[in-house]
Amino acid sequence: MSKIRPSKGAPYARIMGVGGYRPVRVVPNEVILETIDSSDEWIRSRSGIATRHWASPEETVAAMSIEASGKAIADAGISAEQIGGVIVSTVSHFKQTPAVATEIADKLGTAKAAAFDISAGCAGFGYGLTLAKGMIVEGSAEYVLVIGVERLSDLTDLQDRATAFLFGDGAGAVVVGPSDEPAIGPTVWGSEGDKSETIKQTVPWTEYDSSGKFPAITQEGQAVFRWAVFEMAKVAQQALDAAGISPDDLDVFIPHQANMRIIDSMVKTLKLPDHVTVARDVETTGNTSAASIPLAMERLLATGQAKSGDTALVIGFGAGLVYAATVVTLP
């Protein structure tokens, strides 16, 4: 018989607060057209994007995360000292070590919270949310801060007609805490590494000097579109099934804000009822990878398009290829 005392965590976990930060600079399509041969109409028809935010040198990954996290902590009604874990999902913090999460945890004023970074691309928020849920139910933390943050403008090739218009910068954060009832459903997640070439960094950091060109994100647009629409719709349905609900039970759908055409096609494939509010933050924020779901969630709640207690399906998918979907109760 084991002599180890069982963990004493909460029975369930829930999202308690959400916060977002978008850089001050708004970049319309006209700026993108200075470096690629295209048109505003073409960009909007292909992606649904009209504007995006690009960070200034002062709006670092850490600085944007701290701003978003402060709002999430206030929204949750707790203090930073109560945060027992900080999870940061990002692919655009260029210092390999230490983790930027440790800097964020310190500057927020947490009481020596566990802090670490994860790299799961556009599915990173879902991965972080799942880890946070586990920490709370297991009992290693009472409150966990999950941050999705990107400065993708640093990894954008402005001469690449296929991707120059896609990416934006920003940070979104949520506080996850204890709950007496289920409020974060089972996660359906996974990876398809055989498709890793469809979204990737052009060259490794070790080859940067010899290539003479700063690494950028590139993708095979049509392959990504087909995978996202058909395969991720299946994953979304699996998440609904795992949570024991049907599309009719949903109030809100918050997919990764990759592309408006992908979002609209997923809505159609899932046969979501008209009453379901669909996040379309991509129009003014662009694709912010790990930050896109919490940023879209924050905007829906702030504008009244969604309300506290709504049942929402969230799904992220991207480079890897990786994905994560779950059903949550909105804070």
Side-chain angles (χ1 to χ4, degrees):
M1 176 180 284
S2 174
K3 296 180 181 180
I4 300 173
R5 181 182 297 171
S7 300
K8 292 184 178 180
Y12 306 104
R14 65 187 177 100
I15 299 175
M16 298 180 61
V18 60
Y21 179 81
R22 293 170 172 81
V24 173
R25 184 186 177 193
V26 177
V27 180
N29 288 338
E30 285 73 20
V31 172
I32 307 299
L33 296 175
E34 294 174 4
T35 54
I36 61 171
D37 181 16
S38 187
S39 67
D40 177 66
E41 180 183 3
W42 186 86
I43 293 174
R44 289 175 186 255
S45 65
R46 294 278 295 182
S47 67
I49 299 172
T51 62
R52 72 286 292 147
H53 296 255
W54 283 356
S56 67
E58 293 75 25
E59 292 169 314
T60 63
V61 164
M64 292 192 293
S65 296
I66 290 167
E67 289 290 332
S69 298
K71 296 175 183 177
I73 292 169
D75 191 42
I78 65 169
S79 66
E81 290 85 353
Q82 294 175 274
I83 298 290
V86 177
I87 303 171
V88 178
S89 178
T90 185
V91 298
S92 49
H93 177 62
F94 299 146
K95 185 182 289 185
Q96 192 71 39
T97 192
V100 71
T102 60
E103 176 186 349
I104 294 166
D106 176 63
K107 290 185 175 178
L108 284 172
T110 68
K112 299 182 179 179
F116 57 95
D117 298 350
I118 59 173
S119 176
C122 305
F125 176 74
Y127 274 52
L129 188 64
T130 304
L131 293 172
K133 174 186 173 182
M135 292 166 70
I136 289 160
V137 173
E138 187 271 339
S140 60
E142 185 176 11
Y143 301 101
V144 178
L145 184 64
V146 179
I147 304 165
V149 56
E150 302 292 3
R151 275 182 54 116
L152 294 181
S153 57
D154 293 333
L155 289 167
T156 299
D157 181 352
L158 293 178
Q159 277 72 47
D160 181 2
R161 190 171 184 269
T163 61
F165 57 90
L166 286 176
F167 303 117
D169 303 336
V174 299
V175 171
V176 182
S179 175
D180 292 329
E181 59 183 16
I184 300 176
T187 300
V188 177
W189 57 353
S191 64
E192 297 184 30
D194 59 316
K195 300 179 179 66
S196 61
E197 291 296 301
T198 56
I199 306 174
K200 64 180 182 179
Q201 185 172 304
T202 48
V203 296
W205 296 109
T206 51
E207 296 179 18
Y208 169 42
D209 290 339
S210 60
S211 72
K213 189 174 183 180
F214 197 76
I217 297 173
T218 184
Q219 69 175 29
E220 298 173 14
Q222 287 303 312
V224 172
F225 180 87
R226 289 192 297 271
W227 177 77
V229 170
F230 298 108
E231 296 304 319
M232 291 305 97
K234 296 176 186 176
V235 170
Q237 184 60 57
Q238 290 169 13
L240 290 174
D241 294 341
I245 68 172
S246 72
D248 287 337
D249 298 316
L250 277 181
D251 300 303
V252 184
F253 179 43
I254 311 177
H256 164 49
Q257 302 294 294
N259 180 303
M260 195 75 80
R261 291 169 62 218
I262 290 175
I263 294 170
D264 290 341
S265 295
M266 289 186 72
V267 169
K268 183 177 180 180
T269 302
L270 286 167
K271 299 179 181 178
L272 295 184
D274 291 340
H275 75 261
V276 176
T277 298
V278 180
R280 292 188 170 88
D281 194 45
V282 66
E283 180 180 4
T284 56
T285 306
N287 180 342
T288 56
S289 188
S292 78
I293 290 175
L295 277 173
M297 182 184 295
E298 186 260 354
R299 176 162 281 173
L300 288 176
L301 289 166
T303 59
Q305 297 176 73
K307 63 183 185 300
S308 175
D310 278 353
T311 300
L313 169 64
V314 299
I315 179 170
F317 45 85
L321 295 170
V322 294
Y323 55 87
T326 188
V327 175
V328 304
T329 300
L330 294 182

